[in-house]
Amino acid sequence: MNRNALLALVAASLPAGADAMESDLLHCLQGHFVISDVEVDVVEEAVDVTFGVANNLSYPVGGAHVMITVTHADRPTPIASWGSQALLTIPGGLLPGESMTTETYMYIEPRVQAMIEDPGQLSVLVEVESIANGDLISVRNGLWVSSWTEGPSGDGCP
């Protein structure tokens, strides 16, 4: 069997709308695992980001994978972007209705730091990419995090 035929066979075996279902699940998780009070500063060669999270899901969250993108008003591309490790494992989990504050940072080279005369010109986007339930099983398919069991967990999103 040639490669194209094999790819067509694999694609045909996927359930119709699987991408749409994953997209809907991600959008729902982002709406129920809420990011708030985002603050950014530049401290000793690092972009430091502090933010709150609230678990508005119906089950405990044992970990979250978030992407952080920092932009500067005068730059056409982000000055920093990283997947934060701050929430990959949440000690004791975050029960439904609970919230917490976390902090994460990324080293920036001196050239980039020199661009930032006014940290007030920085903007930050913190986006939830996936979460793990209280047993550290990924709720979503396809995002591999070493401390989690591969999903989907079946917990879904209300």
Side-chain angles (χ1 to χ4, degrees):
M1 180 177 290
N2 71 31
R3 182 176 186 268
N4 289 338
L6 183 59
L7 290 174
L9 180 62
V10 169
S13 68
L14 294 173
D19 287 341
M21 288 176 19
E22 275 296 310
S23 177
D24 289 346
L25 176 58
L26 176 58
H27 183 72
C28 184
L29 292 174
Q30 291 171 337
H32 286 82
F33 194 77
V34 181
I35 306 293
S36 63
D37 303 321
V38 180
E39 295 180 14
V40 63
D41 200 4
V42 178
V43 181
E44 297 181 19
E45 299 180 345
V47 173
D48 185 61
V49 178
T50 304
F51 58 96
V53 294
N55 179 7
N56 296 325
L57 294 160
S58 60
Y59 50 87
V61 172
H65 182 269
V66 298
M67 287 298 297
I68 299 173
T69 305
V70 179
T71 56
H72 189 278
D74 294 335
R75 307 301 296 183
T77 59
I79 62 166
S81 184
W82 71 97
S84 174
Q85 294 186 14
L87 294 172
L88 288 182
T89 303
I90 301 171
L94 201 57
L95 300 178
E98 286 185 335
S99 59
M100 65 179 282
T101 300
T102 191
E103 183 176 17
T104 184
Y105 66 92
M106 181 179 182
Y107 167 80
I108 54 174
E109 63 183 51
R111 181 189 75 82
V112 174
Q113 188 168 359
M115 294 177 201
I116 307 169
E117 292 178 19
D118 178 11
Q121 294 291 309
L122 297 175
S123 298
V124 181
L125 176 63
V126 181
E127 289 184 295
V128 175
E129 292 290 318
S130 191
I131 62 168
N133 66 16
D135 295 323
L136 288 179
I137 301 171
S138 181
V139 173
R140 290 187 62 221
N141 229 350
L143 180 66
W144 187 80
V145 176
S146 63
S147 59
W148 301 358
T149 301
E150 191 173 341
S153 66
D155 291 297
C157 186

